[in-house]
Amino acid sequence: MSGLPTIHVNPGQLPEAVDSCISPRVLGSEKSSTRQRGGQLVTISDEYPRHGANAIPPRILAHTVATLRDELGRLAVFMRYDARSGVEKETDCPAIVAQAVLEKGKWPGIPELVAPVVTPTFTEDGRLLCKAGLDRKSGLYLTRSAANLKITENLIQKPLSNEQLHKESEKLSRAISSFPFVETADNAAGIAMLVSSLLAKSLPAIPMFLATAPTPGTGKTKLIDCGSIIATGEKASTYSLGKDDTETEKRLAGVLATGEAFVNLDNVERPLGGELLCQVLSQDALAIRLLGSSTIVRLPSRFLLAATGNNLVIRGDLNRRVCIIRLDAGMERPET
């Protein structure tokens, strides 16, 4: 515990204790895993098993009083006056202090978090993000497992020529060539999905990718999972659209809160459209109500949204915000 900052929590010192907790020496320090996001204090579950049935991608977790007390106890020494001995003694972080920090609503010493990233990527201003930890300029947090990949700054020292770009796009085209695309444009849309999946956390808006086919078993979900595996190492997080827009809003609210990277609305059976989906695809951040509370938070809308379905129907303004990938195996039962 030596070398840690000291915070005094005697009666009458609550404001000073709160200010000390959110200072650059404590929650704002490099040792702290606490970030602020959309009016909340959060942390990231970074260490997790990879590639298997038990693989859990990183999630954004909102701090509770208990988790914040634990975090503060690791970052500072709390001292309280003991009337019996007449001296200050070390104590746990008081719940009232953690509660006051959580509800303060503004934390100038704590960096902003936009989203966790599990693959080296480019930031919105063109920088290659390949160093583990929080990039304070972009708000992106590159997980430690992603930083182990052999990515170097040499990738951006010399721009690729048009001929090189054409060769690289052909590689991507061959990687998904076994899918029964209807036309060349559908293959191109599939390539766009692969590239977009790597940049979804950096861009303020990207289209929704829709994989549609006339019959089940054509490989729609498999194609979407290809993009997710490249971007995250895992298959896409799968959700159903829900019976109505209210159910859809609840599910997308959870996606925004936890910082999902790649989401697939699988086996959509009703027309796709509505204000919420249009906002998710065009706005950099959305104001949502947290589940189970009346609290409104403004969260970044940085993830790739996809959908699959047979003979998908798009309605309203959503037509301007989607990229359709048509598949057709030319047989009644393509799964055979």
Side-chain angles (χ1 to χ4, degrees), residues 257-297:
T258 57
E260 295 268 15
F262 201 115
V263 173
N264 181 23
L265 302 176
D266 204 24
N267 294 319
V268 175
E269 296 183 347
R270 62 183 177 89
L272 269 176
E275 296 177 356
L276 178 64
L277 284 177
C278 289
Q279 291 170 356
V280 167
L281 296 170
S282 60
Q283 301 298 318
D284 190 26
L286 294 179
I288 64 168
R289 181 172 62 85
L290 295 177
L291 297 179
S293 74
S294 59
T295 303
I296 302 294
V297 296

Side-chain angles (χ1 to χ4, degrees), residues 11-126:
Q13 294 182 318
L14 179 61
E16 291 83 357
V18 170
D19 290 342
S20 296
C21 288
I22 64 175
S23 71
R25 297 182 61 208
V26 186
L27 289 177
S29 69
E30 293 294 334
K31 296 179 180 180
S32 173
S33 64
T34 296
R35 311 285 182 253
Q36 57 174 309
R37 182 175 187 262
Q40 291 181 295
L41 287 183
V42 300
T43 187
I44 299 174
S45 60
D46 187 352
E47 295 295 344
Y48 57 100
R50 296 289 290 166
H51 306 304
N54 297 321
I56 303 173
R59 289 288 186 271
I60 297 174
L61 307 173
H63 263 308
T64 63
V65 171
T67 60
L68 188 58
R69 289 182 71 190
D70 176 72
E71 171 85 336
L72 287 169
R74 298 174 188 272
L75 298 171
V77 177
F78 289 83
M79 302 295 292
R80 183 193 297 275
Y81 178 76
D82 180 64
R84 181 175 299 178
S85 62
V87 298
E88 283 192 325
K89 290 187 176 181
E90 189 174 333
T91 185
D92 292 327
C93 172
I96 185 62
V97 173
Q99 185 72 44
V101 171
L102 279 177
E103 297 184 7
K104 190 173 179 64
K106 55 181 180 179
W107 308 275
I110 302 176
E112 289 272 358
L113 170 69
V114 171
V117 184
V118 297
T119 306
T121 186
F122 287 97
T123 61
E124 192 172 355
D125 58 3

